[in-house]
């Protein structure tokens, strides 16, 4: 078994070690697996329970991993909460699956830090040599992609798949297709209801874009939005979204309760000097009240250029628009900048909501965020609620607004109006 202590490995010696493994396997025609393991919500553990507790957790985590490892396995810490493991001489994917399950079983027993026991969750991304890449950078990159996949689904580990969308889109000019999408009328806006947790009444809806491409069918927004951001097309897509959302507000049946719609703004749009002017003119064209529109900005977008984004958001707030901080808890700012954040709403990231019933620590984080937000007169939205137990538990914690599959999935405008009519009756 390897004796690497739980410090962050020096990059050069890490790469040398990994290179050594690869060369060994290259000459002998064997397979090996690279595992990237990330402890969830480690930053929050640091903030809430203190650095000493976080260090105890890390030591114990490594100790448990090592206990479950074979003599020849290698483990190193590569980031605050990220570890890399090399499993040499793997026979096939089934073998890796067994190993992944066994290693993750180290989390079955709660960890003891602070003054109680806590259930800890980790995600794992796996890539195989030579199946997925034959060089170390390539393998790490594939393991990172698999880790992202594990994180965005409810799986605890994921093995890199060649047939993932990244590869499907190889040779397909997504940028070019995106450019034509608006002309061809391929975008559609879906709406996911948000309900006031305390009264059970409709609060509003989040507008989520869908792209129905004539060749590839429906393409997920988390795949094409980053490409639109890079190519600059995100600006026109955002204006399309804002206009479509305002159209819904204008066409909203008077017999239904008033509606507030949230639209997502990416970092690129937040730093657009025309933003304030454009939003104001869109509101006046559609004759909508600023209070009916919420702009969602992720915590990480906000932090990219904090000074400028705070000024912009303050300006938008000053004429009545709602500002919501999306995916709250996943970025760097969280607690430190809390009181300065120019927002009247924050959305706790789904990753905290998903496990909160089984995970005392996530529940503690959710509770702390709700209390702090209320202290600053900020509403809290819980997103990703998938069952009634979670809904009730959030209600008890005093959370303000609920959103998630438990209530409804995002749907086209007509279906949304129909859903609301059924929901009310
Ligand atoms: P987001 O802003 O965090 O949106 C929430 C995502 O969670 C949506 O995925 C929604 O369908 C999904 N979701 C809601 N409730 C549940 C639940 O109970 N369980 C699970 N597993 N998922 C749930 P969607 O629509 O695929 O959007 C993904 C991301 O794409 C969004 O994340 C947002 O970052 C981006 N996006 C979507 N539409 C737009 C847009 O018009 N503009 C920009 N800039 N980004 C957009
Ligand atoms: Ca959002
Ligand atoms: Ca979100």
């Amino acid at each position: 078994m390897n004796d690497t202590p739980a410090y962050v490995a020096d990059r050069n010696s890490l790469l040398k070690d990994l290179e050594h493994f690869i060369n060994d396997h290259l000459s002998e025609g064997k397979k090996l697996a690279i595992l990237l393991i990330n402890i969830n919500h480690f930053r929050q553990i640091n903030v809430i329970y203190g650095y000493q507790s976080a260090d105890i957790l890390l030591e114990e985590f490594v100790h448990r991993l090592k206990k479950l490892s074979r003599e020849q396995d290698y483990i190193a810490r590569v980031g605050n909460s990220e570890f890399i493991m090399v499993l040499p001489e793997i026979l096939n994917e089934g073998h890796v699956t067994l190993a992944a399950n066994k290693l993750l079983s180290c989390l079955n027993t709660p960890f003891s830090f602070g003054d109680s026991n806590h259930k800890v969750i980790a995600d794992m991304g796996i890539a195989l040599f030579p199946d997925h890449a034959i060089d170390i950078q390539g393998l790490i990159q594939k393991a990172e992609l698999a880790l992202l996949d594990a994180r965005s689904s409810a799986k605890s580990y994921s093995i890199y798949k060649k047939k993932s969308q990244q590869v499907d889109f190889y040779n397909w000019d997504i940028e070019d297709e995106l450019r034509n999408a608006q002309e061809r009328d391929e975008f559609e806006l879906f709406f996911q209801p948000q309900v006031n947790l305390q009264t059970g009444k409709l609060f509003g809806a989040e507008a989520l874009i869908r792209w129905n491409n004539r060749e590839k069918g429906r393409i997920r927004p988390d795949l094409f939005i980053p490409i639109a951001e890079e190519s600059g097309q995100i600006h026109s897509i955002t204006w399309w979204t804002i206009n479509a959302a305002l159209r819904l507000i204008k066409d909203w049946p008077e017999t239904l309760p008033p509606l507030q719609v949230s639209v997502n703004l990416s970092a690129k749009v937040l730093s657009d000097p025309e933003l304030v002017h454009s939003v104001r003119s869109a509101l006046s064209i559609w004759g909508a009240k600023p209070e009916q529109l919420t702009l969602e900005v992720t915590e990480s977008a906000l932090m990219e250029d904090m000074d400028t984004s705070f000024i912009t958001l303050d300006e938008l707030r000053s004429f009545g628009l709602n500002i919501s901080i999306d995916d709250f808890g996943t970025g760097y700012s969280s607690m430190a900048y809390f009181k300065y954040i120019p927002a009247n709403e924050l959305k706790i990231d789904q990753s905290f909501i998903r496990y909160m019933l089984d995970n005392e620590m996530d529940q503690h984080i959710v509770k702390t965020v709700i209390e702090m937000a209320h202290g600053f007169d900020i509403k809290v939205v819980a997103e990703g609620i998938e069952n009634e137990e979670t809904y009730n538990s959030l209600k008890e914690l005093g959370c303000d607004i609920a959103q998630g599959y438990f209530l409804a999935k995002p749907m086209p405008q007509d279906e949304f109006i129909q859903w609301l009519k059924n929901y009310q009756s």
Side-chain angles (χ1 to χ4, degrees):
M1 216 162 296
N2 193 288
D3 271 325
T4 317
Y7 55 68
V8 178
D10 157 59
R11 193 182 156 76
N12 286 337
S13 57
L14 174 78
L15 288 177
K16 239 198 225 146
D17 286 345
L18 298 182
E19 233 33 282
H20 173 72
F21 274 109
I22 299 256
N23 290 337
D24 238 24
H25 283 63
L26 202 59
S27 54
E28 293 177 30
K30 294 187 221 150
K31 280 185 198 291
L32 71 78
I34 297 265
L35 275 53
L36 275 182
I37 311 170
N38 184 51
I39 302 179
N40 276 358
H41 305 154
F42 185 72
R43 196 176 300 120
Q44 285 70 27
I45 298 173
N46 255 323
V47 173
I48 294 181
Y49 299 99
Y51 287 97
Q52 273 178 332
S53 295
D55 283 347
I56 293 172
L57 166 64
L58 283 179
E59 293 285 344
E60 174 63 16
F61 184 65
V62 175
H63 175 71
R64 290 187 190 184
L65 282 181
K66 282 186 178 171
K67 246 174 98 176
L68 293 169
S69 307
R70 303 169 302 172
E71 187 91 25
Q72 64 268 41
D73 296 342
Y74 170 95
I75 173 166
R77 187 173 162 214
V78 288
N80 273 338
S81 57
E82 198 158 289
F83 295 84
I84 201 164
M85 279 192 84
V86 180
L87 313 185
E89 296 176 32
I90 284 289
L91 302 174
N92 48 42
E93 245 187 68
H95 192 177
V96 191
T97 308
L98 274 178
N101 279 314
K102 187 170 114 187
L103 289 167
L104 286 168
S105 74
C106 84
L107 301 170
N108 291 349
T109 315
F111 287 73
S112 174
F113 57 83
D115 45 17
S116 55
N117 294 331
H118 306 273
K119 195 149 173 27
V120 169
I121 290 167
D123 296 313
M124 187 188 278
I126 304 169
L128 296 180
F129 166 91
D131 309 50
H132 302 141
I134 51 164
D135 64 305
I136 201 61
Q137 301 289 5
L139 278 168
I140 294 179
Q141 189 215 1
K142 302 286 162 26
E144 297 264 14
L145 285 171
L147 183 62
L148 277 180
D149 180 60
R151 248 185 228 165
S152 61
S153 56
K155 294 179 284 192
S156 49
Y157 70 88
S158 170
I159 301 178
Y160 176 75
K161 279 184 200 57
K162 274 196 181 153
K163 281 211 172 326
S164 71
Q165 273 188 307
Q166 279 90 349
V167 180
D168 275 346
F169 283 108
Y170 192 68
N171 258 343
W172 194 65
D173 196 344
I174 196 166
E175 241 184 86
D176 210 37
E177 284 288 323
L178 258 180
R179 212 162 285 128
N180 296 322
Q182 222 156 320
E183 273 168 38
R184 290 197 207 114
D185 209 14
E186 290 180 344
F187 289 132
E188 191 180 359
L189 207 52
F190 272 33
F191 298 90
Q192 187 178 31
Q194 299 180 321
V195 162
N196 182 318
L197 260 165
Q198 304 306 323
T199 63
K201 294 207 172 112
L202 180 81
F203 172 77
E206 177 171 5
L208 294 154
I209 197 166
R210 297 292 177 258
W211 177 15
N212 307 307
N213 181 260
R214 53 183 180 156
E215 246 182 76
K216 302 272 175 191
R218 184 163 292 160
I219 301 169
R220 290 164 43 180
D222 47 1
L223 188 86
F224 73 81
I225 294 285
I227 296 167
E229 283 170 352
E230 252 169 53
S231 65
Q233 296 170 70
I234 191 65
H235 296 279
S236 65
I237 292 179
T238 305
W239 300 128
W240 179 87
T241 312
I242 290 182
N243 281 293
L246 291 174
R247 187 181 315 124
L248 173 72
I249 291 176
K250 181 176 159 279
D251 294 344
W252 193 241
E254 272 177 23
T255 47
L256 292 174
L259 180 77
Q260 176 176 311
V261 179
S262 300
V263 168
N264 292 284
L265 278 198
S266 63
K268 284 265 155 53
V269 176
L270 184 61
S271 60
D272 180 350
E274 290 295 306
L275 174 69
V276 177
H277 172 73
S278 308
V279 171
R280 289 196 88 148
S281 45
L283 283 167
S284 82
I285 289 169
W286 291 100
K289 296 194 197 93
E291 302 80 49
Q292 289 180 285
L293 187 65
T294 300
L295 299 178
E296 292 191 7
V297 185
T298 63
E299 195 190 350
S300 46
L302 191 68
M303 292 301 141
E304 257 180 41
D305 178 1
M306 208 167 81
D307 293 344
T308 316
S309 49
F310 274 35
I311 292 171
T312 308
L313 294 181
D314 265 333
E315 210 175 335
L316 291 165
R317 283 284 301 127
S318 72
F319 66 88
L321 247 99
N322 300 298
I323 303 296
S324 180
I325 308 302
D326 204 356
D327 303 344
F328 189 79
T330 55
Y332 290 87
S333 67
S334 312
M335 315 292 171
Y337 295 101
F338 210 92
K339 62 178 172 188
Y340 304 110
I341 292 179
N344 55 332
E345 178 184 292
L346 60 87
K347 300 183 83 167
I348 306 181
D349 189 61
Q350 307 195 18
S351 60
F352 297 98
I353 307 298
R354 188 173 292 155
Y355 304 110
M356 63 175 276
L357 288 184
D358 306 320
N359 189 324
E360 206 187 302
M361 193 171 64
D362 282 358
Q363 202 171 103
H364 185 68
I365 292 169
V366 170
K367 190 165 172 255
T368 309
V369 169
I370 295 172
E371 279 165 8
M372 281 176 69
H374 285 171
F376 293 104
D377 216 12
I378 294 176
K379 276 194 303 286
V380 182
V381 183
E383 136 176 276
I385 303 178
E386 293 191 350
N387 53 55
E388 191 172 8
E389 293 79 10
T390 311
Y391 183 93
N392 289 336
S393 159
L394 283 157
K395 185 175 175 183
E396 232 164 76
L397 289 175
C399 185
D400 305 284
I401 295 145
Q403 183 183 343
Y405 293 174
F406 168 62
L407 289 161
K409 288 196 171 178
M411 52 203 150
Q413 176 165 333
D414 297 348
E415 250 178 69
F416 170 55
I417 292 178
Q418 197 48 49
W419 174 89
L420 180 60
K421 286 179 180 159
N422 296 339
Y423 177 79
Q424 280 187 308
S425 57

